Amino acid sequence: MADEVIDLEVARQKMRQWREEPLRNSEEVTDFGECLILEHGNKLGDELWTIYEQVFLASIDCRKMDLATMCLRELKTQFPDSVRVQKLNAMRLEAFDKYQEAEEIYDKILEAEPANAVVRKRLIAILKAQNKIPEAVKELNEYLKKFMGDQEAWTELAELYISQQEHKKAKFCLEELILVNPHNHLFHQRYAEILYTLGGNENMEKSRKYFAQALKLDNNNMRALFGFFMASAHLANSCKDAKIKKENSKFAGWAATQINDRYQRTCQEQENDSMSELENMLDSLQLAAPQNIPPQRLTES
């Protein structure tokens, strides 16, 4: 795309849109951004430096290190004493696996700005990149003592705990996330998955309810629908109480019907063996025949 002539306002608007949303579309950002800089750099005014930073970050993501180096050089020339540019320089060093040099820059920034949350998270990212997971977990816990509302940090800590098979600690992280943002269906889904992994009928029942809540918040969440089916099927097959068995058999039957219907709609125009494989998987659980259950019953259970 670098050889194409692009419209100034179209490219400018796209770059602004991608910054505001934000979307992780680094390839497009580098393509549009490089063309915008090369063809219209002298017409962008102060926005040029924002675009340089945007293109730099996308270039690091795409491993286009020559472009990243060019952007950083221009930013250093324009803002030689900027802490923000120092941080970008450290990120470039990280990309080259020069972690010690990057840490030195971050440490100097923190000496002047102890509350710089972004830099603290970059230091944690370095630990993770070096596979120092226990150290990263420790630093994340320290970070969250000061920045308790950081949803990204809670999510990262949960994933690190899961990677270490510490699901009870990951469960606590998801509980914090649900308290902060109770309308995020992905948090309910992830919490339900952790409960399912922990096992036991009590956790399985809670898991089913949180999968149901995720479905209530997003009817198109197929992962939550599968999870609801699996949790209900487990309870239907493992509980001794006849009432609970019957109820969960109905829930699982409803979910199985929904899964089949959605896959049929997806596969109806193409030859695909996935439908028969899906039906075999559902049948293998030996559930009662699917029943029609009003959707509102799911979230009330």
Side-chain angles (χ1 to χ4, degrees), residues 18-234:
W18 291 331
R19 285 198 302 273
E20 290 168 3
E21 287 185 352
L23 295 172
R24 192 181 180 89
N25 47 353
S26 301
E27 288 286 351
E28 291 146 306
V29 169
T30 54
D31 284 346
F32 270 91
E34 185 178 12
C35 290
L36 193 56
I37 290 167
L38 294 175
E39 295 177 18
H40 304 291
N42 59 344
K43 302 175 186 176
L44 293 171
D46 289 339
E47 190 178 4
L48 173 65
W49 310 112
T50 302
I51 292 172
Y52 266 125
E53 181 179 9
Q54 186 179 3
V55 174
F56 169 85
L57 294 171
S59 301
I60 292 289
D61 209 15
C62 297
R63 302 297 296 178
K64 296 181 179 179
M65 300 313 298
D66 289 342
L67 180 57
T69 300
M70 182 273 287
C71 292
L72 184 61
R73 182 177 63 245
E74 295 298 323
L75 288 166
K76 278 183 175 179
T77 301
Q78 182 68 17
F79 308 103
D81 300 318
S82 168
V83 170
R84 191 163 178 160
V85 174
Q86 290 175 36
K87 185 196 75 175
L88 297 180
N89 185 35
M91 290 177 69
R92 178 179 172 276
L93 291 169
E94 284 185 62
F96 286 109
D97 297 336
K98 297 181 179 179
Y99 299 121
Q100 186 173 350
E101 293 177 44
E103 282 183 32
E104 290 172 1
I105 293 173
Y106 290 140
D107 287 339
K108 286 181 182 178
I109 295 174
L110 286 177
E111 285 178 12
E113 301 178 5
N116 192 316
V118 174
V119 169
R120 290 188 178 277
K121 287 163 80 172
R122 290 311 317 163
L123 286 168
I124 294 167
I126 288 176
L127 291 171
K128 186 180 175 185
Q130 294 176 301
N131 203 33
K132 297 179 179 179
I133 304 304
E135 293 88 340
V137 166
K138 180 181 177 181
E139 289 302 318
L140 255 179
N141 274 295
E142 289 299 317
Y143 171 88
L144 283 165
K145 289 178 183 178
K146 300 179 178 67
F147 305 96
M148 293 185 66
D150 192 327
Q151 296 181 46
E152 184 182 62
W154 280 113
T155 303
E156 180 63 27
L157 183 57
E159 293 305 318
L160 289 178
Y161 277 137
I162 290 170
S163 73
Q164 300 297 296
Q165 304 296 309
E166 296 190 77
H167 292 96
K168 289 185 178 179
K169 292 180 179 179
K171 174 175 167 284
F172 173 80
C173 296
L174 266 298
E175 288 168 350
E176 291 293 321
L177 285 166
I178 290 171
L179 283 172
V180 173
N181 190 349
H183 302 296
N184 188 318
H185 69 102
L186 295 175
F187 293 160
H188 290 273
Q189 172 206 305
R190 199 72 177 111
Y191 186 60
E193 289 170 348
I194 292 169
L195 288 167
Y196 187 94
T197 302
L198 286 170
N201 285 347
E202 184 178 349
N203 282 326
M204 205 62 64
E205 186 174 355
K206 290 180 182 177
S207 174
R208 188 203 68 204
K209 290 179 180 180
Y210 276 93
F211 278 128
Q213 182 64 16
L215 279 170
K216 181 180 178 180
L217 294 168
D218 180 10
N219 293 330
N220 295 317
N221 188 330
M222 283 299 294
R223 185 159 173 158
L225 181 57
F226 267 106
F228 180 84
F229 167 76
M230 295 299 293
S232 299
H234 177 92

Side-chain angles (χ1 to χ4, degrees), residues 185-282:
H185 69 102
L186 295 175
F187 293 160
H188 290 273
Q189 172 206 305
R190 199 72 177 111
Y191 186 60
E193 289 170 348
I194 292 169
L195 288 167
Y196 187 94
T197 302
L198 286 170
N201 285 347
E202 184 178 349
N203 282 326
M204 205 62 64
E205 186 174 355
K206 290 180 182 177
S207 174
R208 188 203 68 204
K209 290 179 180 180
Y210 276 93
F211 278 128
Q213 182 64 16
L215 279 170
K216 181 180 178 180
L217 294 168
D218 180 10
N219 293 330
N220 295 317
N221 188 330
M222 283 299 294
R223 185 159 173 158
L225 181 57
F226 267 106
F228 180 84
F229 167 76
M230 295 299 293
S232 299
H234 177 92
L235 288 166
N237 290 327
S238 64
C239 282
K240 296 180 180 179
D241 186 291
K243 182 180 178 181
I244 294 175
K245 286 176 73 71
K246 182 178 179 181
E247 181 182 51
N248 280 283
S249 180
K250 289 181 179 180
F251 286 146
W254 175 87
T257 300
Q258 293 294 312
I259 293 167
N260 271 308
D261 289 348
R262 295 185 192 194
Y263 269 85
Q264 284 173 353
R265 289 197 296 269
T266 302
C267 302
Q268 62 184 353
E269 294 182 357
Q270 58 185 358
E271 292 184 9
N272 199 321
D273 293 333
S274 62
M275 275 306 305
S276 59
E277 293 174 6
L278 175 64
E279 289 167 358
N280 289 336
M281 183 272 286
L282 298 175

Side-chain angles (χ1 to χ4, degrees), residues 278-296:
L278 175 64
E279 289 167 358
N280 289 336
M281 183 272 286
L282 298 175
D283 290 341
S284 71
L285 291 164
Q286 300 178 348
L287 298 171
Q291 304 288 327
N292 291 323
I293 300 175
Q296 62 267 27

